[in-house]
Amino acid sequence: MKKGFIAAVILAMLVSMSTVGFAQEAAKTYGQVLSEIGLIQGSNGDLNESGELTRSQMVVILNRLGAKSDEAFTPPAKATFTDVPTTHWAYKDVEKAYSDKVTTGIGNGKFGVNNKITYQQAAAFLLRVLGYEVSYDKALTEAAAKGIKLAGEKSANANLLRADIFELMTKTLVANVNGSNEQLVDTIAAIDEAHRTTFLNEYAQAINPELRAFSYTPVADVYKGSDEFLKKSSADGRKYGLQVEKVVNVFTGTGTAVSYADFFKLINPEETIDFQFAWSEYSNDPEYGEYGIYGWSYVSIDESGYLFAHVTATEGESGYEATNPTVTKYKPVTVDGKQVTPYHVEMDLEGFTGEIEPYDLFFLLDAKGVYTVASVGAFGDGVHTRQ
């Protein structure tokens, strides 16, 4: 590692290394979004979004959405449904959907292999992909409650166009898997990390405004050399970033502005809010060269909204100040078995160049006060959780 750095310069660079932003509006059709992340292909690039889809075609696509999509599946020697014999082109996919409890058929031992897919059927299929047990007659209502619904009006028995299916599928990707805070897109092995990140950052909020309010991308563990210091800096940066991502991802919807004074009262500290967290950073910067740095940040915020952070690191130590907090409250969620209410606090920080830059704190409050807080920006990205 190069030792010629001025500690204050390196620490100040942390101000701009990580940012958290609001998701972008989608500018493509749902079919194009699914094609971009590799879930559908179409015929010679033609997605035929104005065409209809049969039940057999639907399950072929659905099998790519399941958490078990990467697992090998051997269909039974004897067909489950009389209209899908072992020689049928969709036999393996229909049997897999049946094995995964995505479909039970249409009755009388039939799957309805050539039937057009209806709105009600699609809703039931997609809820089951998410791991929910749902009665067929309540599928539309339950799917809509999870954001899986068409923007336009269609009856339960209406045959859906491929464009409709793509819309519902895309909305399913950003819905939570049953019993988890993970979105379906996070569980699909067929979607690589680069495509998953693009999808979440660029489309998720536009797809369903009740989903993630912020986009945060953890740094990758990119160092592949033999230097143990750089190896630790890179690996820990990734580890702490994933911890931050877990906190940021529970913030959903648009939120409601609240006063800092009211927020401070909820925490009920004696005089200040105090917390500390570890952080780490690796970079191969064109100007400063390759380096690693890690340390701890000790943060204190008083009732006036003044924040001071003392940062200790492998290259030295420094202090930062931030002011003018604005607070936004989000809907309560369950994290680690606890009912928590998320609060986003954005503050003004004087950056290394003298310009005012945002500094973000993501608080999860329970009945005892601060359960978890994630820091993004100036003092390194990291998480403090109450023990």
Side-chain angles (χ1 to χ4, degrees), residues 9-167:
V9 173
I10 298 179
L11 290 172
M13 287 180 68
L14 291 171
V15 172
S16 58
M17 281 184 177
S18 299
T19 59
V20 61
F22 291 93
Q24 304 292 316
E25 290 189 6
K28 301 179 180 180
T29 68
Y30 291 105
Q32 289 170 329
V33 171
L34 293 175
S35 177
E36 188 175 90
I37 61 176
L39 285 182
I40 61 173
Q41 296 178 342
S43 176
N44 296 320
D46 182 8
L47 299 177
N48 187 23
E49 297 195 51
S50 60
E52 293 182 329
L53 208 66
T54 64
R55 285 170 56 87
S56 56
Q57 293 169 330
M58 177 77 174
V59 295
V60 170
I61 299 174
L62 285 180
N63 284 336
R64 300 172 191 164
L65 296 183
K68 301 177 181 178
S69 60
D70 61 327
E71 295 181 5
F73 173 75
T74 302
K78 182 179 179 181
T80 301
F81 301 106
T82 58
D83 57 341
V84 192
T86 59
T87 55
H88 193 279
W89 67 269
Y91 173 68
K92 182 176 180 179
D93 283 287
V94 171
E95 292 292 347
K96 186 176 191 307
Y98 177 76
S99 175
D100 291 344
K101 300 182 179 179
V102 171
T103 182
T104 57
I106 60 173
N108 296 321
K110 294 184 179 296
F111 172 69
V113 66
N114 293 317
N115 293 1
K116 304 298 183 184
I117 190 77
T118 69
Y119 195 177
Q120 187 96 356
Q121 291 169 355
F125 282 170
L126 291 166
L127 285 172
R128 291 167 187 159
V129 166
L130 289 169
Y132 292 96
E133 293 184 7
V134 58
S135 60
Y136 180 72
D137 60 332
K138 296 181 179 179
L140 272 184
T141 301
E142 293 188 22
K146 293 173 174 56
I148 306 169
K149 59 182 178 181
L150 295 173
E153 293 292 329
K154 288 203 171 183
S155 68
N157 294 322
N159 294 337
L160 296 187
L161 300 178
R162 292 169 65 88
D164 297 326
I165 296 297
F166 297 155
E167 178 181 351

Side-chain angles (χ1 to χ4, degrees), residues 77-347:
K78 182 179 179 181
T80 301
F81 301 106
T82 58
D83 57 341
V84 192
T86 59
T87 55
H88 193 279
W89 67 269
Y91 173 68
K92 182 176 180 179
D93 283 287
V94 171
E95 292 292 347
K96 186 176 191 307
Y98 177 76
S99 175
D100 291 344
K101 300 182 179 179
V102 171
T103 182
T104 57
I106 60 173
N108 296 321
K110 294 184 179 296
F111 172 69
V113 66
N114 293 317
N115 293 1
K116 304 298 183 184
I117 190 77
T118 69
Y119 195 177
Q120 187 96 356
Q121 291 169 355
F125 282 170
L126 291 166
L127 285 172
R128 291 167 187 159
V129 166
L130 289 169
Y132 292 96
E133 293 184 7
V134 58
S135 60
Y136 180 72
D137 60 332
K138 296 181 179 179
L140 272 184
T141 301
E142 293 188 22
K146 293 173 174 56
I148 306 169
K149 59 182 178 181
L150 295 173
E153 293 292 329
K154 288 203 171 183
S155 68
N157 294 322
N159 294 337
L160 296 187
L161 300 178
R162 292 169 65 88
D164 297 326
I165 296 297
F166 297 155
E167 178 181 351
L168 295 174
M169 286 173 58
T170 311
K171 291 177 177 179
T172 304
L173 286 177
V174 292
N176 284 355
V177 176
N178 187 24
S180 168
N181 283 325
E182 280 191 307
Q183 292 172 296
L184 181 63
V185 67
D186 293 320
T187 71
I188 301 175
I191 304 176
D192 62 34
E193 185 170 354
H195 284 112
R196 183 179 296 111
T197 298
T198 298
F199 174 81
L200 290 173
N201 288 352
E202 296 186 9
Y203 304 122
Q205 186 70 17
I207 290 165
N208 189 339
E210 286 302 309
L211 294 167
R212 294 178 182 173
F214 301 90
S215 60
Y216 176 86
T217 304
V219 296
D221 181 7
V222 296
Y223 181 72
K224 303 303 180 185
S226 59
D227 187 295
E228 292 300 322
F229 184 90
L230 296 179
K231 186 183 296 184
K232 174 177 172 58
S233 298
S234 181
D236 284 355
R238 173 67 175 175
K239 178 178 71 174
Y240 298 141
L242 289 172
Q243 293 171 359
V244 171
E245 181 185 41
K246 180 181 177 182
V247 175
V248 172
N249 283 352
V250 306
F251 285 70
T252 59
T254 54
T256 303
V258 298
S259 72
Y260 176 76
D262 288 341
F263 166 73
F264 195 83
K265 290 176 184 177
L266 288 172
I267 297 175
N268 196 30
E270 294 183 3
E271 296 180 352
T272 59
I273 306 168
D274 300 301
F275 57 92
Q276 64 186 45
F277 58 89
W279 53 267
S280 184
E281 191 78 46
Y282 164 80
S283 178
N284 196 352
D285 186 84
E287 182 177 356
Y288 294 100
E290 185 177 42
Y291 68 86
I293 182 172
Y294 54 86
W296 285 82
S297 293
Y298 303 85
V299 181
S300 181
I301 316 175
D302 67 19
E303 61 183 348
S304 72
Y306 169 78
L307 178 150
F308 179 78
H310 180 75
V311 181
T312 63
T314 49
E315 291 292 335
E317 57 185 270
S318 186
Y320 294 91
E321 297 178 347
T323 56
N324 300 326
T326 58
V327 184
T328 306
K329 176 183 178 181
Y330 291 81
K331 66 180 182 180
V333 294
T334 300
V335 173
D336 300 333
K338 298 178 181 290
Q339 182 79 3
V340 298
T341 302
Y343 287 83
H344 172 232
V345 179
E346 183 178 297
M347 305 186 73

